[in-house]
Amino acid sequence: MNAADYMILELPSREDNVALARVVVGAFAARLDFTLAEIEEIKVAVSEAVTNAVVHGYRESPGVVRIQAHVDDGRLVVSVSDRGVGIEDIAQAREPAFSTVPERMGMGFAFMESFSDELSVESMPGQGTTVRMTKRPQHRTVG
């Protein structure tokens, strides 16, 4: 992997940093042949992953959210990691409308899955969570 193929961003686990993560990954993704609509989808997926780390991973405790992105064989791969509380039941957490915070809609994973070609979640209670999303630009037809 050379310097042009990846980025790493670490941010304090504050909700006001979600927009920054979204913009930075969107700018990185724009270097590939994504449509504007696809870049918006990537930005939404990143927003959801970072929000989950802030709201659910760290809850009321401060922490660091790490966002990594790289290009692999023409695909964008984005990982969002935290060292927070972790997820007890990943399958349950991925169900639409499930949330550990009552005032939240519980649609984060549904959006991430919908806007990614592949989504994986690794988590250990008490050790944190890593969400990995991949997306390949759709080939446009001319004419």
Side-chain angles (χ1 to χ4, degrees):
M1 186 179 333
N2 67 43
D5 293 330
Y6 75 95
M7 57 145 281
I8 299 171
L9 178 65
E10 289 187 342
L11 298 167
S13 61
R14 298 190 332 239
E15 287 195 58
D16 60 343
N17 281 329
V18 172
L20 177 59
R22 171 187 175 101
V23 169
V24 171
V25 175
F28 184 82
R31 299 176 335 152
L32 294 171
D33 194 27
F34 286 111
T35 64
L36 289 176
E38 289 171 325
I39 290 173
E40 284 305 312
E41 291 176 349
I42 291 164
K43 289 163 65 174
V44 169
V46 168
S47 294
E48 295 296 336
V50 174
T51 297
N52 277 359
V54 171
V55 172
H56 301 288
Y58 291 112
R59 296 186 180 145
E60 300 299 319
S61 309
V64 174
V65 179
R66 181 180 176 98
I67 302 106
Q68 296 177 259
H70 70 274
V71 178
D72 179 22
D73 191 29
R75 298 178 310 153
L76 175 69
V77 181
V78 179
S79 297
V80 177
S81 304
D82 66 66
R83 295 263 182 221
V85 299
I87 300 171
E88 291 285 334
D89 184 338
I90 293 172
Q92 182 182 42
R94 290 179 71 163
E95 290 178 15
F98 175 81
S99 181
T100 57
V101 179
E103 54 274 1
R104 296 288 176 165
M105 289 178 21
M107 296 301 294
F109 281 119
F111 285 128
M112 286 181 253
E113 191 136 26
S114 175
F115 295 145
S116 301
D117 295 332
E118 297 173 31
L119 174 71
S120 66
V121 182
E122 296 176 9
S123 190
M124 293 286 294
Q127 295 182 28
T129 301
T130 297
V131 173
R132 182 177 172 180
M133 301 169 281
T134 62
K135 188 162 184 81
R136 181 180 299 279
Q138 298 300 309
H139 294 288
R140 298 181 230 180
T141 58
V142 179

